[in-house]
């Protein structure tokens, strides 16, 4: 087999303790006027005040938009853009969790190309380069600092919607694990489980072949040797440190592992894509109003069990990355042990075990299955095919907590 791969990443990734202090130097390369997007909570911290002061001390004029809301309601981006037009930013700096980074991506898009966000839904709709974006995550989960995707909530649609384009990738991802030290255990768990799910789904994604036009036609192209490298790194780091970071938020080494794991997972799925766990979470999350990371992590053991028939060797490699002993085990046995370890880890950090516990009503299972099956960009990425019947049984099994029912 000839090696085939693609990878789309920021021009520069900076990672390590104290990296936030170089933000003025990095920003000065792009100009002297910065729109900073964050949320009200982080804007009220002394860390944020220090960041803004450091930018201003470097003669960078700053306009702060500190009203980013969870899940990025569509019309809130337009409000920010209207406020910023007169300011004329040379760059946008997103500081915060995944919603802040996605909001900043959308702001760069509209400031650069105008129109409405609705004009850009889907893949490859962004016509060209945008203003430089510097992404500074303060949580470790979404990987948005390195991905080509922004997810928003559209009031005219039941499900969240995505804008996917290489032009949305940040110019610089500046990742300082010290910024995650104050994340509470619950948020650390949900964000970290989201990252681990990204890595697992990227590593087990469909390998689509070697058509040279594939990356020109799709943002997500399935697993490749390059995305596998990042996915396994993420799994190793998260497997060894996510539980530690949740139980002791002051463990600097664990915090660094988890943030690097989230970054690596973003590097993997930003090109490989995600699959069925994410497809089910979109409708399930819309009905239950639960956190994205919680929903995908709830689904992950069930999806892994469903996929194990065709992806046992990949599951075994995941298990090895998690530190499981592979000696004298077949691939199938190792796959089963891997799924059990994911269940154990998620239970240990408080991830909800079933869709029923998430609050998904039993009378909405058919609708959830139908909607999930319709998210073609994710379903076609799953290593094992679905029809409505198998998707319905998967959703039922995840609702009931019946892992054995996923062996179809």
């Amino acid at each position: 087999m000839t090696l085939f791969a693609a990878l789309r990443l920021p021009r520069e990734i900076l990672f390590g303790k104290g990296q936030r202090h170089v933000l003025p130097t990095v920003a000065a390369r792009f100009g002297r006027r910065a729109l900073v997007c964050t949320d009200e909570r982080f804007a009220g911290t002394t860390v944020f005040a220090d960041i803004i002061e450091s930018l201003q001390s470097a003669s960078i004029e700053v306009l702060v938009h500190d009203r980013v809301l969870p899940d990025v309601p569509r019309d809130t981006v337009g409000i920010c853009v209207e406020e910023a037009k007169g300011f004329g930013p040379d760059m946008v700096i997103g500081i915060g969790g995944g919603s802040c980074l996605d909001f900043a991506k959308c702001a760069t898009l509209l400031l650069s190309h105008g129109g409405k966000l609705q004009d850009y839904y889907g893949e490859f709709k962004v016509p060209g380069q945008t203003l430089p974006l510097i992404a500074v995550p303060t949580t470790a989960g979404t990987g948005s600092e390195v991905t080509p995707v922004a997810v928003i909530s559209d009031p005219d649609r039941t499900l969240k919607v995505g804008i996917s384009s290489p032009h949305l990738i940040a110019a610089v991802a500046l990742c300082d694990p010290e910024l995650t030290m104050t994340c509470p255990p619950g948020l650390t768990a949900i964000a970290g489980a989201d990252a681990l799910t990204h890595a697992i789904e990227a590593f087990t994604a469909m390998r689509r072949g070697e058509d040279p036009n594939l990356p020109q036609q799709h943002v997500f192209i399935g697993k490749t040797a390059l995305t596998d490298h990042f996915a396994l790194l993420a799994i190793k780091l998260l497997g060894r440190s996510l539980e530690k970071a949740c139980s002791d938020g002051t463990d600097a080494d664990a915090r660094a592992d988890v943030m690097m794991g989230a970054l690596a997972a973003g590097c993997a799925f930003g090109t490989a894509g995600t699959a069925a766990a994410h497809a089910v979470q979109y409708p399930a999350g819309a009905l239950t109003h639960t956190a994205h990371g919680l929903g995908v992590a709830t689904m992950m053991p069930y999806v892994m069990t469903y996929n194990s028939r065709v992806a046992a060797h990949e599951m075994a490699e995941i298990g090895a990355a998690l530190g499981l002993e592979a000696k004298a085990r077949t691939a199938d046995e190792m796959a089963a042990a891997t799924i059990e370890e994911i269940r154990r880890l998620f239970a240990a950090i408080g991830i909800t075990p079933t869709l029923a516990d998430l609050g998904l009503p039993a009378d909405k299972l058919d609708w959830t299955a139908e909607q999930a099956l319709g998210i073609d960009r994710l379903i076609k990425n799953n290593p094992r095919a679905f029809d409505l019947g198998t998707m319905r049984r998967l959703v039922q099994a995840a609702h009931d907590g019946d892992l054995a029912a996923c062996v179809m």
Side-chain angles (χ1 to χ4, degrees):
M1 181 184 74
T2 302
L3 282 178
F4 169 81
L7 206 59
R8 301 180 178 109
L9 294 173
R11 299 175 216 168
E12 189 171 22
I13 297 174
L14 302 170
F15 184 97
K17 177 182 177 181
Q19 281 292 338
R20 66 188 182 280
H21 299 305
V22 306
L23 179 58
T25 302
V26 172
R29 299 174 193 158
F30 300 111
R32 291 295 169 184
R33 301 170 73 82
L35 169 64
V36 176
C37 301
T38 192
D39 57 30
E40 185 177 16
R41 186 206 65 79
F42 191 68
T45 65
T46 56
V47 172
F48 182 76
D50 290 343
I51 289 172
I52 297 303
E53 182 180 359
S54 71
L55 289 167
Q56 293 170 334
S57 296
S59 300
I60 296 172
E61 192 173 348
V62 174
L63 174 65
V64 174
H65 179 89
D66 60 3
R67 302 189 302 280
V68 176
L69 299 175
D71 301 321
V72 191
R74 181 195 68 195
D75 297 335
T76 62
V77 180
I79 294 170
C80 170
V81 168
E82 286 303 312
E83 294 173 352
K85 281 181 179 177
F87 176 69
D90 300 315
M91 74 200 83
V92 177
I93 302 174
I95 307 178
S99 291
C100 291
L101 303 187
D102 284 0
F103 184 100
K105 289 178 180 179
C106 292
T108 64
L109 168 57
L110 295 187
L111 284 166
S112 302
H113 298 293
K116 300 177 180 179
L117 288 181
Q118 301 94 299
D119 301 332
Y120 305 103
Y121 291 170
E123 293 187 312
F124 293 115
K125 299 290 181 62
V126 179
Q129 292 292 326
T130 64
L131 285 174
L133 170 65
I134 303 173
V136 186
T138 62
T139 62
T142 69
S144 185
E145 63 272 15
V146 293
T147 68
V149 180
V151 178
I152 66 170
S153 299
D154 187 320
D156 299 325
R157 299 186 178 210
T158 303
L159 306 186
K160 292 180 187 177
V161 63
I163 301 171
S164 302
S165 168
H167 294 306
L168 290 185
I169 298 173
V172 179
L174 195 156
C175 307
D176 184 341
E178 287 187 330
L179 293 176
T180 70
M181 296 293 283
T182 58
C183 278
L187 178 57
T188 300
I190 290 171
D194 188 22
L196 185 51
T197 299
H198 290 155
I200 292 171
E201 290 215 290
F203 189 71
T204 57
M206 179 74 72
R207 192 185 300 276
R208 295 193 190 169
E210 301 175 357
D211 179 357
N213 291 313
L214 186 63
Q216 312 310 317
Q217 297 167 347
H218 300 278
V219 174
F220 294 153
I221 66 167
K223 72 188 266 101
T224 71
L226 290 177
T227 62
D228 283 355
H229 168 77
F230 285 107
L232 287 175
L233 173 62
I235 291 164
K236 176 183 177 181
L237 295 173
L238 292 162
R240 79 184 185 190
S241 291
L242 178 54
E243 196 171 347
K244 292 179 187 177
C246 292
S247 61
D248 180 7
T250 66
D251 187 329
D253 290 338
R255 288 290 194 183
D257 271 3
V258 172
M259 188 174 225
M260 177 67 84
L263 170 69
C267 293
F269 93 85
T271 302
T274 54
H278 278 70
V280 174
Q281 162 55 19
Y282 276 105
L287 291 173
T288 61
H289 304 289
T290 48
H292 168 81
L294 186 61
V296 295
T298 296
M299 284 303 304
M300 196 70 260
Y302 303 98
V303 172
M304 291 176 74
T305 302
Y306 177 82
N307 288 336
S308 60
R309 179 186 295 180
V310 299
H313 288 284
E314 286 82 2
M315 303 282 183
E317 289 185 76
I318 291 169
L322 290 170
L324 299 182
E325 176 59 58
K327 188 175 181 180
R329 281 176 168 166
T330 66
D332 287 341
E333 290 169 341
M334 189 65 171
T338 299
I339 295 167
E340 187 54 39
E341 172 59 15
I342 293 297
R343 290 186 80 191
R344 184 209 65 77
L345 173 58
F346 284 173
I349 63 175
I351 297 300
T352 307
T354 71
L355 291 179
D357 292 326
L358 279 181
L360 185 65
D363 62 0
K364 292 294 185 180
L365 298 185
D366 285 341
W367 181 85
T368 300
E370 290 166 4
Q371 295 298 312
L373 190 66
I375 306 176
D376 186 60
R377 66 185 174 85
L378 300 178
I379 294 302
K380 70 185 178 185
N381 220 26
N382 203 71
R384 185 180 172 195
F386 281 98
D387 57 27
L388 185 56
T390 52
M391 180 59 77
R392 176 65 175 78
R393 290 195 288 277
L394 175 70
V395 171
Q396 183 74 59
H399 185 270
D400 297 344
D402 186 359
L403 204 66
C406 299
V407 183
M408 306 172 196

